[in-house]
Amino acid sequence: MNDQVMIVDDDPSIRETVEIVLSAFGYSVSVAENGRVCLEKLKDEFKGLILMDVMMPEMDGWNTIVEIKERGLHGDNIICMLTAVNDPGPKMEKLSEYIIDYIRKPFTSEELIEKVKEYLRYVKK
Amino acid sequence: MSNRNIIIIGISTGGPITLRRLFQGLPILNGSILIVQHMRKVGNLPLAESLNSLTKMDVRIANDGELLKQGVVHIVPSEVHLELTNNRLMKLVHKPKVCYVRPSVDVTMKSVRKQNGDNITGMIMTGIGRDGAEGSAHIKSIGGVVFAQDQESSVIWGMPKAAIDLGCVDHVLSPEGMRQMLISQMGG
Amino acid sequence: MKVLVVDDNPKALLIAKARLVKEGIDVICAGGGKQCLEIAREERPDLILLDIDMPDLSGFEVCNRLKEEETLCMVPIIFLTAADDNGNRIRGLDLGAVDYVTKPFDAFELRARVRAALRTKKLQDQLTNFNQKLEKKVEERTSRVQQLLQQKNAFVNQLSHDLKTPLTPLVALLPLIAKRTEDSEAKRMLNLAIDSVNYMRNLTETILQLARLNSSHSQLKPEKIDIAFEIQNIINALSSLFSERKISPVINTDTPLLVECDEILIKELLHNLISNAIKYTNSGGVVTVRGFCNNNQIQISISDTGIGMTDEQIDHAFEEFYKADDSRNDRSSTGLGLSICRKIIEKSEGKIQIESPGLGKGTTVGFSIPRCIENEK
């Protein structure tokens, strides 16, 4: 397993879109439908770029990152947010060191690839 | 000591890709650049490598006790603040977080003094929060110049807006506009 | 009904009381001006019969003081005057009394005048009551309308956010399919779909922007801005569009033109108006931006030599979702640009208007906003 991206989103159409686009460009994609699954995958030593939706039921993107931080699961992973909201809100301010970037929905395949390509370089091989 | 152009960049969310736009094709400037990018340590080296491939300037990670060098871009490493002594000597200090972050650009900017006839330029770019706003006000107060990134090109227009709201920004620009401005003032 | 009789002569009080009790009226007596004020404050009578000559406070003085008190100023007053004292009667009426009764009283006249005054008082009370109810209703309605408006804005906001998620697969995947297909017919269909999706994407962004402008929460950040400088910047930024459409920009402004308003909004406004002018101008045309200071107003106009507008189109131009020429089926237009412009101008306490000599004869959009007044540095 080399290039690894995890998409964490409660909306199946987004998960599948990201999976299709990234696979088409040769990346291998891991899928999590909520923050809990994301945490489990991290425990199973997922290593790579995490694309994290902000608005999810139960545990939202911010809380998932807080959990990752508190359980020491961040390892050398890089986190980039996916969101439909323009205003990031106050929760994010304290997490800014953990969030490298922000992708706004709707995004084109080019926008997605540009960021994934750049940030995968940040993940230690 | 002869006078020096010193540029301090504060940047957070969306920084790596935005810095690529800024450094794309940047010639060697007559000055030194310090980048405070809010990120985890894992990203420091990749960021330096990423920018090194875009500019003729030498991009490297700052070390404690090192001097600012002409034509060099120093990236402040994660988990420490960087303070300048006499606007030349870089000291990495283990102090509490400022504005929830370490390194904080406020800390670096506020350590700059009005001396040696140095020209200080502060640049506040994309990111959440308000780190850099007070630092920019300090730079203004010692006669420096401050650029803020415009809203359109910012991934999150938090830090630039905070600096603008404090009334200490001279120019609101895109990354490309900032590059042009730097080249016209310190190019070659 | 409750009547307060005021006289320093106990005999007169007794007589008046006797006459009025017969009418079924509650009668309260006061032996002087000061006592009258105290009792009036406590009892809130429906009518006061007030003697003029009293040793402690004259009836006129009492009347004056009653008229100054918020809770008592509406209580009608009938003065008790001597038969031959025309001057005092007139003065009493001028001070706000409703009537007068001459002493010694004629029982029938006294009762008739008191009845008349009480009738009027009753009607007046009803009217006041109605008014209060009405005001309360208006208040309730207004707050309800405001609440609904806020709900509408919140809804629009939520809706456009919710639209972004389902738009994502379309925006991300359709171009990928179009790239892969060799079938030219399918490519045509896909390009049509892609255009529509891009239009929807544009529309959601614009609607969000409008919702933000409509929301009472949106804060303005007034700053000192040189509009002339911003115009130059925007024309520079649009230079590729100008040359692509072979349209020449002409700038004719005083410098600087300082205003105090939200920088982002004013840039957006200028950008909207200038790119609109380019859009509706044919190749080879000219877009002219003028700006000058007139008294304390900065006046900016953007004129084009483009397709122009009819009076009817101008009348509707600022309405949300209005498109001047629907038959153009213009996918790049949401019909929201000008209403956004007007919202921005209104937020900056300015005015905006459109003029056109008619179809084919160009359009001028002009706006004015207050000049920033300050001492030159």
Side-chain angles (χ1 to χ4, degrees), chain A residues 74-78 88-89 92-94 96-102 104 114-115 118-119 121-122, chain B residues 12-17 20 38-40 42-43 46-47 50 97 100-102 128-130 155-156:
Chain A
H74 38 72
D76 286 338
N77 298 306
I78 297 285
M92 190 190 155
E93 192 170 348
K94 295 177 188 170
S96 61
E97 285 163 298
Y98 290 85
I99 297 164
I100 201 136
D101 208 338
Y102 217 78
R104 287 211 169 79
E114 186 203 4
K115 296 208 167 173
E118 174 69 14
Y119 295 127
R121 295 207 259 178
Y122 284 65
Chain B
S12 183
T13 327
I17 282 191
R20 282 182 73 87
H38 303 154
M39 67 183 341
R40 288 180 46 237
V42 53
L47 177 66
S50 172
K97 291 189 174 186
Y100 308 112
V101 287
R102 189 171 47 212
I128 183 82
R130 51 172 304 107
V155 174
I156 293 177

Side-chain angles (χ1 to χ4, degrees), chain A residues 7 13 18 21 33 38 40 48 62 65 72 86 89 95 98 100 103-104 110 117 122-123:
Chain A
I7 166 72
S13 73
V18 170
V21 171
E33 61 267 34
C38 166
E40 268 158 33
W62 311 131
I65 296 174
N86 285 334
L95 299 173
Y98 290 85
I100 201 136
I103 299 176
R104 287 211 169 79
E110 288 87 356
K117 198 171 148 192
Y122 284 65
V123 182

Side-chain angles (χ1 to χ4, degrees), chain C residues 246-297:
Chain C
K246 298 196 173 59
I247 294 168
S248 346
V250 175
I251 307 179
N252 186 359
T253 62
D254 298 342
T255 44
L257 291 173
L258 294 182
V259 295
E260 199 161 346
C261 54
D262 189 291
E263 184 179 350
I264 311 228
L265 289 185
I266 205 78
K267 279 185 180 170
E268 200 168 298
L269 170 77
L270 290 166
H271 192 277
N272 270 350
L273 293 178
I274 295 172
S275 46
N276 243 359
I278 299 174
K279 192 158 110 191
Y280 295 112
T281 299
N282 298 322
S283 163
V286 178
V287 171
T288 310
V289 185
R290 292 187 186 85
F292 59 93
C293 185
N294 185 8
N295 294 326
N296 284 325
Q297 295 283 316

Side-chain angles (χ1 to χ4, degrees), chain B residues 21 124-126 147-157 160-161 164 171-178, chain C residues 263-264 267:
Chain B
R21 286 176 62 178
I124 304 300
M125 302 182 71
T126 178
F147 304 165
Q149 193 176 346
D150 62 10
Q151 185 176 18
E152 211 179 345
S153 68
S154 296
V155 174
I156 293 177
W157 200 58
K161 182 171 190 298
I164 292 169
H171 303 284
V172 179
L173 299 161
S174 65
E176 291 75 16
M178 290 178 169
Chain C
E263 184 179 350
I264 311 228
K267 279 185 180 170

Side-chain angles (χ1 to χ4, degrees), chain B residues 29-187:
Chain B
L29 296 182
N30 176 22
S32 311
I33 300 181
L34 265 168
I35 298 178
V36 179
Q37 160 80 57
H38 303 154
M39 67 183 341
R40 288 180 46 237
K41 206 172 185 88
V42 53
N44 293 166
L45 206 57
L47 177 66
E49 284 168 2
S50 172
L51 298 182
N52 247 327
S53 66
L54 298 171
T55 171
K56 293 216 161 62
M57 289 184 85
D58 181 12
V59 186
R60 46 171 111 146
I61 294 168
N63 290 308
D64 187 42
E66 209 182 341
L67 289 171
L68 273 186
K69 288 194 184 67
Q70 282 280 62
V72 172
V73 181
H74 303 272
I75 293 178
V76 181
S78 298
E79 296 162 25
V80 288
H81 294 299
L82 185 145
E83 288 180 350
L84 285 173
T85 307
N86 295 325
N87 292 0
R88 294 291 180 275
L89 180 68
M90 298 187 281
K91 301 200 69 165
L92 301 182
V93 292
H94 296 265
K95 285 184 183 166
K97 291 189 174 186
V98 174
C99 295
Y100 308 112
V101 287
R102 189 171 47 212
S104 148
V105 66
D106 271 347
V107 172
T108 306
M109 285 182 166
K110 283 181 182 173
S111 70
V112 175
R113 300 282 166 265
K114 182 176 184 150
Q115 60 183 48
N116 323 326
D118 290 344
N119 294 315
I120 313 295
T121 304
M123 290 169 53
I124 304 300
M125 302 182 71
T126 178
I128 183 82
R130 51 172 304 107
D131 187 27
E134 283 183 23
S136 300
H138 172 74
I139 287 185
K140 279 306 293 175
S141 75
I142 59 167
V145 179
V146 178
F147 304 165
Q149 193 176 346
D150 62 10
Q151 185 176 18
E152 211 179 345
S153 68
S154 296
V155 174
I156 293 177
W157 200 58
M159 284 162 41
K161 182 171 190 298
I164 292 169
D165 288 352
L166 264 194
C168 49
V169 171
D170 298 284
H171 303 284
V172 179
L173 299 161
S174 65
E176 291 75 16
M178 290 178 169
R179 182 175 68 220
Q180 279 312 315
M181 198 79 123
L182 292 179
I183 293 171
S184 68
Q185 288 169 1
M186 312 164 197

